[in-house]
Amino acid sequence: MKVLGIVPARGGSKGVPGKNIKLLGEKPLIAYTLEAAAASQLTRTIVSTDDEHIAQVAKEWGGDVPFIRPSDLATDLANSIGVVQHALRTMEELEGGQYDAVMLLQPTTPFRRTEDIDKALSILAETQADSVISVVDVEGHHPARMKFIKDGKLIDPEFCEAYENQPRQELETMYIRNGAIYLTKRDILLNNSFKGKDCRALVMPGNLSVNIDTAFDFDYAQWILDHYLS
């Protein structure tokens, strides 16, 4: 398959100013994603950014920045599917051909590996599914343990555990998207979905599933890097 990798990196981060190029260890955050993608089987990987400084840093780390994203797709309200659709259409117009699928690689999940990217590509090729999305085990944050609060009282939802403090091992394993990989066939994406009807899972371990949104997340990513990945 011909698959386009897209690394979205807008310049207006509020939670962590300059997040996409802030140093994590000895490299800017975006570099981790660029390096993993460069060694993968993706046909081409490009960076979609509205920020000239981010574009320059990305290029210094081997990134391909063929265009600058329009400002209307770089606001707090701009959704990721619109950003990816714009990048896909722009690249197909520039190259004069179509891609079979698109992989969204958010730089805020820096620890996804080349092997994770290639595994997702293999799953899509082997199953002919609509999409492959990376997930991580929720472990102790299982939905069956969650509660509503009404008038200060804890209320059990319909899906609550069978009895109080039920061991996690007795609960059906559940997963949550970790933000590392969204691989979607072209026609599904252009129909405004990353998932489609047949979505397959790429399960990743917790230490590789850090998703950075806040300053605390960034510090936690540094801790993971120092203690597990160095």
Side-chain angles (χ1 to χ4, degrees):
M1 292 187 298
K2 187 178 179 184
V3 183
L4 176 66
I6 299 174
V7 181
R10 76 182 185 98
S13 173
K14 298 292 193 299
V16 184
K19 174 172 59 180
N20 289 308
I21 54 176
K22 181 179 172 67
L23 288 181
L24 177 64
E26 298 180 352
K27 296 184 287 191
L29 183 64
I30 196 171
Y32 292 86
T33 296
L34 294 176
E35 290 178 344
S40 75
Q41 296 177 18
L42 289 166
T43 306
R44 183 176 181 179
T45 301
I46 60 104
V47 176
S48 170
T49 184
D50 62 308
D51 188 288
E52 294 285 358
H53 188 202
I54 292 176
Q56 182 58 41
V57 172
K59 290 175 183 177
E60 291 171 0
W61 287 87
D64 181 1
V65 190
F67 60 85
I68 295 296
R69 191 197 307 176
S71 58
D72 63 309
L73 288 174
T75 68
D76 290 339
L77 299 178
N79 59 45
S80 57
I81 200 159
V83 170
V84 174
Q85 288 172 339
H86 168 267
L88 172 62
R89 291 184 173 116
T90 300
M91 293 310 300
E92 290 184 340
E93 183 177 343
L94 290 173
E95 296 178 356
Q98 289 189 356
Y99 283 89
D100 299 305
V102 172
M103 183 179 289
L104 173 62
L105 296 166
Q106 300 179 113
T108 47
T109 313
F111 301 141
R112 127 245 313 115
R113 305 159 296 183
T114 296
E115 61 199 83
D116 298 315
I117 295 173
D118 288 344
K119 178 63 175 176
L121 293 171
S122 295
I123 293 172
L124 192 70
E126 292 167 4
T127 64
Q128 292 299 303
D130 293 329
S131 63
V132 178
I133 294 177
S134 59
V135 296
V136 62
D137 188 338
V138 300
E139 298 183 341
H141 294 93
H142 198 286
R145 294 178 169 180
M146 296 180 180
K147 310 290 183 183
F148 295 111
I149 298 178
K150 293 183 179 179
D151 299 322
K153 298 179 181 179
L154 287 178
I155 307 297
D156 290 332
E158 293 181 359
F159 49 84
C160 70
E161 55 198 350
Y163 56 90
E164 287 294 333
N165 298 319
Q166 185 176 4
R168 178 168 60 89
Q169 293 78 7
E170 294 183 6
L171 301 172
E172 184 175 359
T173 304
M174 294 195 72
Y175 301 87
I176 188 170
R177 293 170 298 181
N178 67 358
I181 291 174
Y182 291 84
L183 173 59
T184 311
K185 284 185 175 176
R186 180 182 186 275
D187 59 332
I188 301 299
L189 179 73
L190 293 180
N191 199 33
N192 298 317
S193 175
F194 282 117
K195 188 169 175 282
K197 294 181 179 179
D198 183 356
C199 179
R200 303 303 172 101
L202 173 68
V203 180
M204 291 177 57
N207 66 325
L208 301 182
S209 297
V210 178
N211 195 336
I212 299 172
D213 186 51
T214 66
F216 174 83
D217 297 334
F218 212 102
D219 290 343
Y220 178 56
Q222 183 65 61
W223 186 84
I224 289 290
L225 184 64
D226 292 340
H227 291 81
Y228 287 95
L229 303 178
S230 60

